[in-house]
Structure formats: structure tokens, C-alpha cells
């Protein structure tokens, strides 16, 4: 049975009264399966050029593979939008549109083939190749833009991460100022030491005795957080390494930091530039992903309509005139909906069985066209369009 998390595209032979067939089916689904009329729509299947039997069987083999790629491309576009919108379903729904219409509206309100873009006078193989080229182009464009965005986003995140964390690890450029340091001294330097909060008193008592070349009474508290206090202290340059080692032994952490106004300004500008670039690329990627969803989803549906046609010809034969029906099932009564379809189209069983039987003759034939046999088989032709937002 088809999934209850997808919209069903169905094809049956047209017969003498196609509108009557559709109306009768709509009545049965609304009355017996309690399916709202808005969940049923007509799908205009064009009168494509059928080509040869071999070409149709070849397409029937190739189309499932292409459909897998198309479906994956649509899914990646949706995932990109979802990530950009912080997984907010309400915002996502505003961007999952086809020509500014909802997915349901696009599928259920009289779907038609885009003849101006995809000429039905071309062969089915040419149409499939055109759809495939367009989808590859969409996929490549999104990959390129997404990679660019991720690089800038990663760089920005790394810069922002340096500004977070405790005082033993975070960047200090925006914590200290020029006045905290001894400037232009040949012999003296200012070090910054992150002292664990429980050891603050110990630092005040011990820092002058860690080395004889520590300048007395130069320890100043610059900042503190929940875990560490940051002190400055002035020492003679020549005892730098020894002082750092003595601090390490006492679990005081000497930060590797040299104050430079130019470096502080450079870091500020880099962060600002990265933030601005990230916002610009976010906007561009959102716009592209929104456009790509609309385009890729339409291409996917067009490919599924070609599959409907190809399978219908292989199953029901000529004339190649078929009615398309779109059904969006409701989870609570999906079995009842499917049973109505089976009952309504039971008269197609002899044709379907004949087609299925024809496919099963001959071991070589079976091996060559195994994909055709692996499909779930109903009396009517059915393919699914997975729901984007459940």
C-alpha cells in the first residue's frame, strides 16, 4: 500500500467519458472514504510521443534512478531552508512555495504540464534529458553557494567562540585596555594571569615570591567570571620563562597575550566583516534555496508525470490517452481511501495482470528488466510525492 505521508499521482485509461470517471471517483472518495474534496485534484497527462516499445522499457528502467536523484535534490534544498530558518516549521512553510503557491495548491488545483518550457512534441528521452540537466544545474548551484556560506559561517563561529568561554581560554582583546600594560619598556613587561577563583587569595599572597624579579604590588584585578579572575602583573623580561613555570606549578595560568592596538582593531574589523558577510550570504542562500525548491519540485513532478505516462502505455497500451488524478490521503482513513481506489478501478485488473504477466516471461527478459518487476503493483498506475512538511 502506498505511504500515508505522501500525495498520490494516479493514472488510468481515459475511456469515453473522462470527466465522468473523475467525478464518479471524487464522489466515492468523499462519501465512502470521507476525504475532503480539496484533497482530490485532476492531473492533465499530455499526449506525449510514445516512441518504440524498447525505448519505453528503457525509460521505465532509467526513470526510477533519476527520480531518486531528483527527490534527493529537493530534500537537500528543504534541509538547507530548514537549517537557515532554525528548524522553525512556520517560517519554513512560508518558503516552501511553488510560484508563490503552496505545494498542495500546486498539485491539487488543476496541475498542468509546462508546455512552453518542455515541448511535448519532443521525444520522451529528450524531455527526460532536459529535466535532468536542469536538476543537475540546480544541485550544483546550491552546493557552490552553500559551501561559500558554510566557510564564512565557520570562520565567524570560530571568531565568536574565541570571545566566549572562561578567562583562561577566551580572547582578551576586548577585556583589557592599553592602560593595563607597561608600554615601551626595554626591561619590564606585563603578563596576564588567569587564577582559579578558589586560589585568588593564594595568588595575592604568593605572586611576589614566585620570582625575585617580580615587581612588588603590581598585581591588578582586570576582570573575573564564575571560574577565574584575570590579574595583570609586571615582571622583568629576563625571568619570563621561569615565572610562567612557577605559575604553572601553582595552577595559575599565564595567558599568551601581547597587547597591540593594531591587532585589537584588526580583530574587531575581521569580526565585523565576517558578521556582515555572513548575513549577506545567508540572505543570498535563502533566496536561492527558495527559488531552487520551487524549480526542483516542479521538475520532480514533471518527471513523475512522465513515469505515469510510460508505465500507463506499457500496462494499458494504445491509445496513449490517460486520466491523471491527484489524491492527498488523510492518515486516519488511508486504508479506506486505498480500498475505494482498488474497488473503483478493479475493472482494470485484466489489463494489469496481462501487463504483469508479459513482464514475467523469459529468464533473460526478467534479468534485463528486473526493476520493472520490483515495483509495487496495483491495478492502476500510482507514484508518490513525499510530503515536505508533515
Amino acid at each position: 500500500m502506498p505511504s500515508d505521508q505522501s500525495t498520490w499521482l494516479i493514472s488510468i485509461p481515459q475511456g469515453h467519458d473522462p470527466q465522468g470517471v473523475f467525478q464518479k471517483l471524487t464522489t466515492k472518495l468523499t462519501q465512502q472514504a470521507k476525504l475532503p474534496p480539496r484533497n482530490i485534484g485532476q492531473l492533465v497527462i499530455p499526449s506525449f510521443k510514445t516512441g518504440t516499445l524498447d525505448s519505453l522499457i528503457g525509460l521505465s528502467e532509467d526513470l526510477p534512478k533519476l527520480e531518486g536523484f531528483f527527490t534527493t535534490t529537493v530534500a537537500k534544498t528543504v534541509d538547507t531552508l530548514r537549517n537557515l530558518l532554525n528548524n522553525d516549521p512556520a517560517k519554513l512553510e512560508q518558503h516552501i512555495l511553488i510560484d508563490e503557491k503552496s505545494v498542495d495548491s500546486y498539485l491539487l488545483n488543476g496541475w498542468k504540464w509546462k508546455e512552453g518550457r518542455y515541448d511535448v512534441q519532443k521525444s520522451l528521452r529528450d524531455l527526460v534529458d532536459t529535466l535532468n540537466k536542469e536538476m543537475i544545474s540546480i544541485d550544483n548551484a546550491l552546493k557552490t553557494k552553500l559551501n561559500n556560506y558554510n566557510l564564512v559561517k565557520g570562520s565567524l563561529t570560530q571568531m565568536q567562540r574565541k570571545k566566549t568561554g572562561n578567562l583562561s581560554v577566551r580572547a582578551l582583546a576586548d577585556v583589557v585596555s592599553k592602560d593595563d600594560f607597561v608600554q615601551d619598556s626595554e626591561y619590564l613587561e606585563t603578563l596576564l594571569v588567569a587564577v582559579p577563583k578558589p586560589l585568588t587569595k593564594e595568588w595575592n599572597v604568593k605572586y611576589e615570591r614566585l620570582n625575585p624579579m617580580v615587581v612588588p604590588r603590581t598585581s591588578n584585578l582586570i576582570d573575573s567570571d564564575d571560574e577565574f579572575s584575570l590579574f595583570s602583573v609586571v615582571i622583568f623580561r629576563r625571568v619570563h620563562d621561569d615565572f610562567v613555570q612557577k605559575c604553572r606549578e601553582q595552577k595559575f595560568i599565564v595567558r599568551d597575550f601581547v597587547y597591540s592596538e593594531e591587532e585589537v582593531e584588526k580583530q574587531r574589523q575581521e569580526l565585523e566583516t565576517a558578521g556582515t558577510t555572513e548575513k549577506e550570504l545567508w540572505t543570498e542562500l535563502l533566496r536561492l534555496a527558495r527559488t531552487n525548491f520551487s524549480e526542483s519540485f516542479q521538475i520532480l513532478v514533471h518527471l513523475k508525470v512522465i513515469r505515469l505516462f510510460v508505465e500507463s502505455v506499457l500496462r494499458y497500451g494504445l491509445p496513449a490517452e490517460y486520466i491523471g488524478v491527484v489524491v492527498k490521503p488523510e492518515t486516519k482513513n488511508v486504508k479506506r481511501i486505498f480500498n475505494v481506489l482498488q474497488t473503483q478501478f478493479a475493472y482494470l485488473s485484466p489489463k494489469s495482470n496481462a501487463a504483469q504477466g508479459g513482464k514475467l516471461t523469459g529468464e533473460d527478459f526478467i534479468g534485463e528488466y528486473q526493476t520493472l518487476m520490483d515495483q509495487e503493483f496495483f491495478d492502476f498506475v500510482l507514484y508518490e510525492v513525499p510530503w515536505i512538511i508533515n
Side-chain angles (χ1 to χ4, degrees):
M1 192 171 76
S3 169
D4 62 354
Q5 299 295 306
S6 65
T7 297
W8 304 345
L9 308 183
I10 298 167
S11 173
I12 56 172
Q14 184 170 293
H16 300 296
D17 185 14
Q19 195 60 35
V21 171
F22 177 76
Q23 291 300 334
K24 189 174 180 181
L25 175 62
T26 301
T27 301
K28 295 277 188 182
L29 288 171
T30 53
Q31 292 181 356
Q32 297 180 16
K34 307 302 180 185
L35 187 66
R38 66 176 180 275
N39 285 32
I40 310 165
Q42 280 190 285
L43 184 79
V44 179
I45 300 177
S47 297
F48 297 109
K49 289 187 173 181
T50 55
T52 65
L53 178 61
D54 283 347
S55 68
L56 289 173
I57 292 176
L59 277 172
S60 189
E61 278 280 290
D62 295 340
L63 288 172
K65 303 166 191 173
L66 284 177
E67 189 176 307
F69 164 57
F70 285 20
T71 302
T72 300
T73 301
V74 173
K76 285 193 291 188
T77 306
V78 174
D79 285 342
T80 299
L81 284 167
R82 186 176 283 114
N83 291 333
L84 290 173
L85 299 169
N86 296 320
N87 205 23
D88 186 326
K91 290 181 180 179
L92 181 61
E93 195 168 1
Q94 296 172 11
H95 293 274
I96 299 297
L97 301 172
I98 294 95
D99 294 337
E100 302 306 317
K101 297 185 294 187
S102 69
V103 171
D104 286 349
S105 179
Y106 170 70
L107 289 173
L108 292 163
N109 293 347
W111 187 92
K112 291 182 180 179
W113 182 270
K114 279 191 169 182
E115 291 197 30
R117 185 165 176 174
Y118 309 114
D119 186 359
V120 295
Q121 296 306 309
K122 292 185 177 180
S123 70
L124 287 171
R125 177 62 70 179
D126 286 344
L127 289 173
V128 169
D129 288 345
T130 298
L131 294 173
N132 189 40
K133 287 176 183 176
E134 288 187 2
M135 192 64 94
I136 290 173
S137 177
I138 286 172
D139 187 44
N140 289 338
L142 186 65
K143 281 180 183 176
T144 300
K145 185 69 72 173
L146 184 59
N147 286 340
N148 290 340
Y149 173 74
N150 284 337
L151 285 172
V152 173
K153 178 69 173 177
S155 177
L156 177 63
T157 301
Q158 189 174 8
M159 291 180 191
Q160 291 173 334
R161 189 177 293 125
K162 289 179 180 179
K163 297 186 69 173
T164 61
N166 61 51
L167 288 166
S168 70
V169 294
R170 64 159 294 175
L172 300 176
D174 59 341
V175 175
V176 298
S177 67
K178 181 178 180 180
D179 294 338
D180 295 319
F181 295 84
V182 172
Q183 299 292 322
D184 304 321
S185 172
E186 182 179 352
Y187 301 104
L188 300 177
E189 66 173 331
T190 302
L191 297 183
L192 301 177
V193 184
V195 178
K197 276 289 187 69
L199 302 180
T200 301
K201 290 184 179 179
E202 192 172 338
W203 163 262
N204 288 326
V205 171
K206 289 184 175 180
Y207 83 90
E208 292 182 0
R209 299 200 297 270
L210 292 176
N211 188 285
M213 305 298 283
V214 174
V215 179
R217 299 182 182 180
T218 54
S219 174
N220 289 309
L221 177 63
I222 295 176
D223 199 2
S224 63
D225 56 30
D226 293 337
E227 299 177 64
F228 287 86
S229 295
L230 184 69
F231 290 91
S232 65
V233 62
V234 180
I235 66 170
F236 280 79
R237 291 182 182 276
R238 62 180 183 168
V239 298
H240 177 101
D241 293 344
D242 180 71
F243 181 80
V244 170
Q245 179 59 35
K246 292 291 175 58
C247 283
R248 188 178 296 122
E249 292 171 1
Q250 299 296 322
K251 298 183 179 178
F252 306 145
I253 302 171
V254 178
R255 298 297 311 274
D256 184 12
F257 181 84
V258 177
Y259 183 81
S260 165
E261 288 185 321
E262 292 78 8
E263 187 63 28
V264 169
E265 180 61 20
K266 179 183 175 184
Q267 290 181 16
R268 187 192 66 77
Q269 289 183 352
E270 286 177 349
L271 182 61
E272 185 178 316
T273 300
T276 301
T277 304
E278 188 271 341
K279 288 178 182 177
E280 291 173 352
L281 289 179
W282 181 91
T283 302
E284 291 176 12
L285 182 58
L286 182 68
R287 187 184 302 117
L288 178 66
R290 179 185 172 117
T291 302
N292 278 8
F293 171 78
S294 176
E295 292 293 317
S296 62
F297 191 86
Q298 291 181 73
I299 293 170
L300 172 63
V301 174
H302 278 69
L303 188 79
K304 286 182 180 287
V305 169
I306 290 178
R307 281 197 77 186
L308 281 175
F309 179 84
V310 169
E311 182 61 26
S312 296
V313 175
L314 290 174
R315 189 178 304 189
Y316 306 125
L318 301 174
E321 297 172 345
Y322 309 103
I323 303 172
V325 182
V326 184
V327 175
K328 182 182 180 182
E330 292 185 331
T331 304
K332 61 184 179 182
N333 57 2
V334 65
K335 290 184 179 178
R336 191 182 303 172
I337 294 168
F338 187 66
N339 288 338
V340 168
L341 291 172
Q342 285 187 308
T343 302
Q344 188 67 21
F345 300 130
Y347 69 91
L348 295 172
S349 183
K351 290 186 178 181
S352 294
N353 289 336
Q356 190 179 31
K359 289 175 187 173
L360 296 175
T361 57
E363 291 184 6
D364 293 339
F365 191 92
I366 292 172
E368 187 175 357
Y369 302 117
Q370 184 67 41
T371 303
L372 304 184
M373 297 166 51
D374 291 340
Q375 299 171 13
E376 195 170 6
F377 207 86
F378 312 119
D379 291 333
F380 45 91
V381 180
L382 183 150
Y383 293 112
E384 302 175 41
V385 179
W387 290 347
I388 304 300
I389 306 176
N390 295 332

